[in-house]
Amino acid sequence: MMRMLTIVVLTALLWETGVVFSQTYTMYVANESDDTVMLIQFDGKELSVIETITVGSIHTEIEGPHGLAVDPDGSHWFVSIAHGQPFGKVVRYSTANNRPTGTVTLGMFPASMAISSHTGLLYVINFNLHGNPEPSSVSVIDPDAMLEVGRITTGIMPHGSAFGPDGTRHYSVAMMNDALFELDALNLSVIRNIPLGEGAKPTWVAIHPNEPLAYVAANGADQILIVDMEAGIITERLNAPGAPYNLSVSPDGKTLVATLKGAQAVSIIDLSTGAERVRVPSSQPVTHGVIIAPDNQYAFITSEGIGATPGAIDVIDLTTATRIASLQAGQQTGGIAFWKMND
């Protein structure tokens, strides 16, 4: 009883003196034009670079680290290397020391990726940015063996990679087909593709954690599309001027955050109303990636910069809807993946 009373008193004193216990958020960020990945931490007030890892193996050219993912147990991270001779690849790294532990060659310009919580397989989009305008694919990787176990043909210039809550359905979009593709993650096949309207040029898809809804960034139409995945139809088109590019839904399903690549801004949308709550300016032009912390508190944004201007990472407090921290990163900062959250 005396021990409990002491703890309560000490907690009260710390609160009164302004000492507050906070979380530490750790993530990986890719710099596409200087072939590096940064290990970044946020302590609730400031961002810091813990380590900068050089990736790629062709020293005479920029290989373009693009997409990132961390496995469910946090022991490894994966990066897609977009350029190769002639194909790109995915490289696995240990989070213990940030050293490579495996490589697998994929298709043309492997980009976005996600891991199924059900099968543990890694789904990588072969964006085929510089190839012929023909249907490309999703590569399915066994992350333990680093082997491609399947390749599923989808649309022209596919992008985005997301799973439904149970990990049995995979979603991506095809920019030049104006379509949303749903895959069966158990038998590695296309279930259906949903037309999104001519000129949509979709770049990303995010899935609601509790409801059968998909949110699509219609980059070419300045809209965010809400798709009812049970009916397979668009139910609402939210105006999003500024070329929406990437999307993230908060784990509690209340907030959608969209990077506006043409507006140097981030849109925060209240999903209970579908209305934009606020538009937050980014610290650098050309906003790119977005992730939301597991506790729904912060959104982490990457911005590419323009030309020789370095990219950046911004932190937006979702409670106050304000940018509270920024950090200069490398050249063309893009891919971002959350690793862990510690007390």
Side-chain angles (χ1 to χ4, degrees):
M1 187 60 146
M2 181 60 70
R3 182 180 179 186
M4 181 62 69
L5 180 60
T6 301
I7 292 172
V8 171
V9 170
L10 285 172
T11 302
L13 288 172
L14 288 171
W15 182 265
E16 289 180 4
T17 56
V19 179
V20 180
F21 296 105
S22 63
Q23 301 281 351
T24 298
Y25 306 81
T26 310
M27 66 213 75
Y28 288 92
V29 173
N31 300 303
E32 191 165 346
S33 288
D34 65 16
D35 286 352
T36 62
V37 171
M38 289 177 167
L39 178 61
I40 304 292
Q41 278 191 349
F42 177 63
D43 64 3
K45 293 183 179 180
E46 295 181 348
L47 287 159
S48 58
V49 179
I50 304 304
E51 185 178 354
T52 298
I53 305 105
T54 299
V55 299
S57 56
I58 305 173
H59 302 299
T60 56
E61 69 170 76
I62 296 171
E63 294 183 72
H66 190 91
L68 290 166
V70 177
D71 60 18
D73 67 6
S75 61
H76 294 91
W77 58 275
F78 304 83
V79 59
S80 60
I81 306 295
H83 307 285
Q85 295 179 339
F87 302 113
K89 60 188 176 183
V90 165
V91 183
R92 182 185 64 201
Y93 286 77
S94 168
T95 56
N97 55 22
N98 293 315
R99 294 180 181 175
T101 61
T103 302
V104 57
T105 300
L106 302 180
M108 290 287 194
F109 208 98
S112 322
M113 64 177 82
I115 297 178
S116 168
S117 61
H118 187 84
T119 66
L121 298 178
L122 177 67
Y123 280 57
V124 185
I125 307 300
N126 295 306
F127 185 39
N128 198 16
L129 176 63
H130 304 297
N132 294 324
E134 58 189 21
S136 191
S137 59
V138 179
S139 287
V140 183
I141 310 303
D142 179 334
D144 293 326
M146 288 301 284
L147 291 174
E148 185 179 36
V149 297
R151 187 174 292 191
I152 308 163
T153 300
T154 55
I156 301 172
M157 289 179 67
H159 203 237
S161 184
F163 281 94
D166 65 0
T168 64
R169 294 288 185 270
H170 178 269
Y171 302 91
S172 62
V173 292
M175 289 183 64
M176 305 308 292
N177 287 101
D178 296 322
L180 168 64
F181 282 81
E182 182 180 37
L183 307 183
D184 188 326
L186 300 181
N187 63 24
L188 311 187
S189 63
V190 176
I191 298 173
R192 57 183 169 173
N193 68 81
I194 299 170
L196 300 174
E198 186 176 354
K201 286 187 169 52
T203 51
W204 205 260
V205 56
I207 308 301
H208 196 282
N210 307 313
E211 301 176 20
L213 298 174
Y215 301 90
V216 177
N219 181 266
D222 278 351
Q223 295 177 334
I224 294 171
L225 313 179
I226 302 179
V227 182
D228 182 330
M229 294 310 299
E230 290 184 342
I233 59 172
I234 298 170
T235 58
E236 195 168 355
R237 295 175 179 267
L238 308 179
N239 288 327
Y245 189 67
N246 279 9
L247 305 171
S248 184
V249 180
S250 60
D252 62 10
K254 296 179 179 180
T255 304
L256 177 69
V257 178
T259 57
L260 303 175
K261 200 164 188 177
Q264 193 173 335
V266 177
S267 178
I268 301 176
I269 298 168
D270 184 342
L271 289 181
S272 66
T273 63
E276 184 179 69
R277 178 183 170 195
V278 69
R279 183 168 289 210
V280 181
S282 58
S283 64
Q284 289 292 336
V286 196
T287 52
H288 186 113
V290 52
I291 56 171
I292 298 177
D295 62 1
N296 308 291
Q297 183 69 36
Y298 302 107
F300 299 93
I301 312 296
T302 59
S303 295
E304 298 177 17
I306 296 176
T309 303
I313 303 137
D314 294 335
V315 183
I316 296 175
D317 186 324
L318 293 179
T319 301
T320 62
T322 57
R323 176 161 53 89
I324 60 170
S326 297
L327 176 71
Q328 180 177 299
Q331 297 294 320
Q332 199 179 353
T333 307
I336 183 168
F338 197 85
W339 177 21
K340 63 181 180 178
M341 188 171 71
N342 298 112
D343 295 325

